[in-house]
Each structure stands twice: as C-alpha cells, then as structure tokens.
Amino acid sequence: MGVKRFKYVFFILICMIVFPFTIHAECDYQRQAELSRLASNVQLTYVYTETGFSVIMTNLTKDLYAVDMYSKVIPGGEEKTFSYASGTVRFDIYTTDSSCSKEKLLTKTITLPTINSLSFRDECKQYPNFKYCQLWGNFAADDSTFDSELVKYKKERAARLATSKGNEIDVLDIILDIIKNNGFVLIFIGVVLVITGLYYFVIKKVRK
C-alpha cells in the first residue's frame, strides 16, 4: 500500500472516530399509520370520589407516552390514574420510536364536570332536591341568596304536600260517600256478581 493511500485511509478512519456517522431510520408511512392507530385507541375515563376526580388512562402501550397539560410525562404500559380538578384535561401523545418521535401523534381530552360546592352544605342533606343542592353545576349564589331561596322552596314544598294530602282525603271521602248513599245498590250488585260466578263455576264443573 502506498504512503499516500495509507494516509488517505488513515484520515478517513480518524474522521469516523472524531465525527461518527449517525444513521436514523426514517419513519415510513406504514409505521406512522400504525402509531396513529395505537394513539387513537388510548381511552380516558373518570370517576368521582369525595376527594375529587380520578382520570383513568388505558391502552397507552409501551410504544407511546403522553404529556399532560401541566407538562407531566406519562410513560406507556399499565393503566394509569391521575387526580385533576374540574375542567378540560389535555394529553398529547407521542411515540418512543426514535425514528418517529419528532411529531405529536394525537391529542386526547376529557372534560370533568363542575362540582357545586353549595351541595356540601348541611341544609342539602335535608333538602337534596333544592336547586342549589345539585352536585353538578356552577351555581353563583352567596349565603343570602341560598338562604332566601331555601325559605321559598320550603314553603312551596309544604304547599305541595298539603295539596297532595288534601287530594287523597277528598278521594277517600268520595268513596265513603258513595258507599254510604248507595249501600243497598252496591250490596245488590255484589250478590248478583257472586251468584253469576257460582253459576258459571257449577256449569263448567258439570260439563267436565
């Protein structure tokens, strides 16, 4: 090997050591489509407990990871559970595949309902159907408004109960009046029905 050729080869080797080649496989269309399908399968649900909302993330495979709206990185794998307050929670989904990791695959969101803080008042335990005692909703009512509306609700509720009870008494009175004023007629009808029933029973038995 000539000196010049040896120097040339030696120079190439030095360059490869000092400046190593970095080869990245391209993210082809099929792989991108597969990752997008996996990302679309990620599911978000929530449950409510006395301490707040728990968001449950499923189907986040090891090929994926998510980043929530607070920049928290969520690795793929098993089912994940997180605690959040009311409102819309956003998750951006990426892949761990180094050849396809530059672009976001998908964004998943879930909207958590607003909890009505007034529903935790002691009055709501006794009057759960009062409009300001509903668990879900954003009710902008101060103490004065709550108390005054509750007084109205109590009055309306008492009036409805009194009317309902009065209607039941009226119906009972009507039935008693009919029996009292038409006792003979009702007894006669009853006797006729009994005789008719016995007649058909005897006839049917004889035919057998």
Side-chain angles (χ1 to χ4, degrees):
M1 180 183 293
V3 176
K4 290 184 178 180
R5 187 174 180 181
F6 175 79
K7 288 181 179 180
Y8 178 74
V9 173
F10 180 76
F11 176 76
I12 293 176
L13 291 173
I14 293 295
C15 290
M16 291 178 64
I17 294 172
V18 178
F19 307 104
F21 291 104
T22 303
I23 302 175
H24 295 286
E26 293 184 359
C27 182
D28 59 28
Y29 175 78
Q30 290 183 346
R31 180 56 174 162
Q32 184 73 25
E34 179 187 7
L35 292 170
S36 296
R37 179 183 59 80
L38 292 174
S40 66
N41 288 335
V42 175
Q43 299 295 321
L44 299 173
T45 56
Y46 71 86
V47 294
Y48 173 74
T49 64
E50 293 181 355
T51 58
F53 291 104
S54 292
V55 174
I56 304 166
M57 178 182 288
T58 55
N59 299 336
L60 187 71
T61 67
K62 292 182 178 180
D63 289 335
L64 308 173
Y65 70 94
V67 180
D68 73 1
M69 57 195 298
Y70 304 106
S71 300
K72 179 180 179 180
V73 178
I74 304 163
E78 298 178 355
E79 177 181 289
K80 305 291 191 305
T81 302
F82 318 95
S83 296
Y84 293 99
S86 300
T88 299
V89 184
R90 187 187 73 250
F91 297 89
D92 294 330
I93 301 176
Y94 299 86
T95 178
T96 56
D97 188 334
S98 59
S99 63
C100 303
S101 61
K102 294 181 179 180
E103 297 182 1
K104 176 174 62 179
L105 295 172
L106 194 65
T107 296
K108 289 273 186 173
T109 62
I110 186 169
T111 300
L112 307 176
T114 301
I115 301 174
N116 175 27
S117 59
L118 296 173
S119 65
F120 300 108
R121 292 184 55 154
D122 291 338
E123 294 91 334
C124 290
K125 296 177 182 179
Q126 186 176 359
Y127 302 101
N129 293 324
F130 176 47
K131 64 180 180 180
Y132 289 139
C133 289
Q134 306 304 310
L135 180 60
W136 309 116
N138 185 16
F139 296 96
D142 54 23
D143 291 342
S144 177
T145 302
F146 183 94
D147 293 338
S148 62
E149 290 296 320
L150 182 58
V151 170
K152 293 180 183 178
Y153 173 78
K154 288 179 181 179
K155 291 180 179 178
E156 293 173 356
R157 182 172 179 271
R160 288 196 301 269
L161 291 175
T163 302
S164 176
K165 188 175 181 180
N167 290 337
E168 292 176 1
I169 294 174
D170 289 343
V171 172
L172 182 59
D173 288 341
I174 292 171
I175 294 173
L176 292 175
D177 286 341
I178 292 174
I179 295 173
K180 182 179 179 180
N181 298 326
N182 301 278
F184 178 77
V185 175
L186 293 174
I187 292 172
F188 176 76
I189 294 173
V191 171
V192 171
L193 291 174
V194 171
I195 294 173
T196 304
L198 290 173
Y199 173 76
Y200 280 107
F201 176 76
V202 171
I203 293 299
K204 187 175 182 181
K205 192 172 182 180
V206 170
R207 286 181 178 177
K208 286 184 179 180

